[in-house]
Amino acid sequence: MASASRSTNREPAFLLTPGLFFLIIAFFFPTFLLLAQSVLTVGPDAGELTLEHYQKAFADSFYAGVAFRTLRLALLITLICLLIGFPLAIIISRASRIVRSLLILMIVLPLMTSVVIRTFGWLVILGQGGVLSWVLQALGLVDGTVSLMRTEAGIVIAMVQVLLPFMVLTTLGNLNQMSPSLEEAARVMGAGFFRSIWHVTLPMSAPGLASGAVLVFALSISSFITPSLVGGVRLPVIASSIYQQMTGSFDWGFGAALSVLLLGATLVLMVPYLIATGRLGGRS
Amino acid sequence: MTQLVVQSVVKRFGKQTVLNAFDLEVAKGEFVALLGPSGCGKSTLLRIIAGLETPSSGDIVINGRVVTGLPPEMRNIALMFQSYALLPHLSVLENVRFPLRMRSQASRAEQERRAHDALALVQLDQFTERYPRQLSGGQQQRVALARSIVAEPDLLLLDEPLSNLDARLREDMQIELKRLHETLGLTTIFVTHDQDEALALADTVILMNGGRVEQRGAPEELYGQPRTEFAADFLGGANILELEVVRRGDVLMGLFPEGSEVELQKSDGLEPGARKFMLRKEAISLAPDTEMATLAASIETQNYLGSQTRSLVRAGGLALVAVTDPVSAKSKARDLRIGWRPKDLIPLTS
């Protein structure tokens, strides 16, 4: 009896091994190297412990601004993805089979395109004399040409398009499991359309919305290509600064310190999510 | 006083007509069963009354008010779903309070008191802080029931209320529902495909078939005097006999395929010619007395059912099923005479 239960306890460990092995090689080891690099000196007296890279990051108000912009954009992108993604997921979950497949395809399609090509697409739309400018002029809303290139609004628009599928698909998972009779029951019990969504659909899809929000936030805080191409050099985000340090200034120590700070910020922001999902998971 | 009027309601889904000019009136305090096989339109009718479906034409009047175009939340009704539809993220008390909260009836304390009272009525007031998933199926049903009655609706609708329970609980719930109806006097309409449930609970049974009313009446009337083969068969099952009606002087006789004849009770519209009759299984006696119409028969096989015995008998060229008490069934030889009171052989209209 005892040996049988011990062997069943060991089985999950076997299943875990390949994933754990990969994680150690591809994630924990490089992260450790990064951590090491961020606290070691470079140059002639290389290999000494130091905090100079971190001091540099905190001393220079330029990087505080970059960090603030990155956080602000990530929060805004997450919020907009929530506001668009939740209703969209509801519509998809109630659509007929064919419409549902088409909508999912439309939402996932951007993920199948290279990020560079997709971003150049936005250049055509948002740029000087682009489609957006032309439409606004045709409608008589603006005089002369407009451009959202090299603006934060442009970055947000382009990022929302890329990250929306993560929000929609995670929420859709919850909505598909929800019995349609729950909302009908709420209606019969006196809740109007919006109140039934607020009191029933929203709490029922909260776990999906939370995972979606974390995914979107984590991906936008660390995104690099889209902000660089749409925002340009005058609107750097943390990831593009790190890239700049590593490949332009060859200041690996400082780049590593910035990376560690980004990682730390992301982990801190994961905490509320873990608490919330722990609570939600216990309830549902 | 009339609480609900369904006025020539038609419902089409594409080319399929689910309800065909359906009319129904339900008096205040009445307990009505919509009975029928699946696909007869009974659930669609319930959803139309609740406002979850819109009729293709026709009107719904609740408490003197035309509500046809109104959404469910604007009709003062309650609907208990077959799946109970308890909100999993809310406690038992919050679930029961929900209709009061959504309708902003009374203060929060008053709402909680009424939710407590409703739960006490279904003997669940000790579980107020639990969540639905922590309750058994029977308990969940009681919560759903408490939630349906808490706001004192004009109309209580129940969709297959007992179908998810096992036989034992179902019997308990039948008693509970009847008791609750007698206590509160709520006008209640319930949908079921189970004839036992309809007979046990309702004041009025509406038997539906193909989107129309097949027959409506008190349970005794529907069971005792079915007008059609469908009604006879759906309510309890019965022997359907195809006899030739012949006139012998003053009386009408039923001629069996093998030539034997039995006397028929006079009734309106009964004329010579081929006619279908219903004979309940329990109306057949294996020990007929002098007032019965009798027929020579042989027992082909018997099933012992505990409180009853079911016998397959062959008589007059027809196979008949008789359900009798086990004692009289056991003592019978294979060849015997069977009989029934003439009034139990009921002519059907096809």
Side-chain angles (χ1 to χ4, degrees), chain B residues 271-284:
Chain B
E271 281 165 8
R275 190 70 185 264
K276 277 186 180 169
F277 292 84
M278 177 203 79
L279 185 59
R280 289 278 178 218
K281 295 167 191 169
E282 66 275 13
I284 298 177

Side-chain angles (χ1 to χ4, degrees), chain A residues 79-100:
Chain A
L79 187 70
I80 293 174
C81 279
L82 275 170
L83 290 177
I84 299 177
F86 182 46
L88 194 56
I90 293 178
I91 290 170
I92 293 175
S93 73
R94 292 175 191 180
S96 69
R97 277 255 274 292
I98 297 168
V99 177
R100 161 191 287 234

Side-chain angles (χ1 to χ4, degrees), chain A residues 174 203-204 206-208 210 273-284, chain B residues 88 133:
Chain A
N174 274 147
M204 298 293 293
Y273 167 73
L274 290 174
I275 293 171
T277 47
R279 204 165 42 107
L280 292 167
R283 276 201 315 194
S284 62
Chain B
R133 73 193 143 83

Side-chain angles (χ1 to χ4, degrees), chain A residues 65-140:
Chain A
V66 170
F68 182 63
R69 175 183 303 118
T70 310
L71 269 178
R72 182 159 38 90
L73 288 178
L75 284 173
L76 196 62
I77 290 161
T78 309
L79 187 70
I80 293 174
C81 279
L82 275 170
L83 290 177
I84 299 177
F86 182 46
L88 194 56
I90 293 178
I91 290 170
I92 293 175
S93 73
R94 292 175 191 180
S96 69
R97 277 255 274 292
I98 297 168
V99 177
R100 161 191 287 234
S101 309
L102 278 175
L103 283 172
I104 290 180
L105 187 71
M106 275 172 64
I107 285 167
V108 176
L109 213 53
L111 291 181
M112 300 178 186
T113 329
S114 149
V115 64
V116 178
I117 292 170
R118 199 169 53 219
T119 308
F120 276 115
W122 279 112
L123 301 190
V124 174
I125 293 170
L126 302 176
Q128 200 82 37
V131 179
L132 181 77
S133 171
W134 181 81
V135 170
L136 289 179
Q137 273 179 298
L139 292 172

Side-chain angles (χ1 to χ4, degrees), chain B residues 177-198:
Chain B
L177 277 174
K178 192 87 183 175
R179 183 182 65 83
L180 214 57
H181 179 253
E182 276 156 16
T183 317
L184 300 174
L186 287 173
T187 312
T188 308
I189 299 175
F190 77 103
V191 154
T192 181
H193 64 271
D194 181 341
Q195 43 109 5
D196 289 334
E197 222 167 278

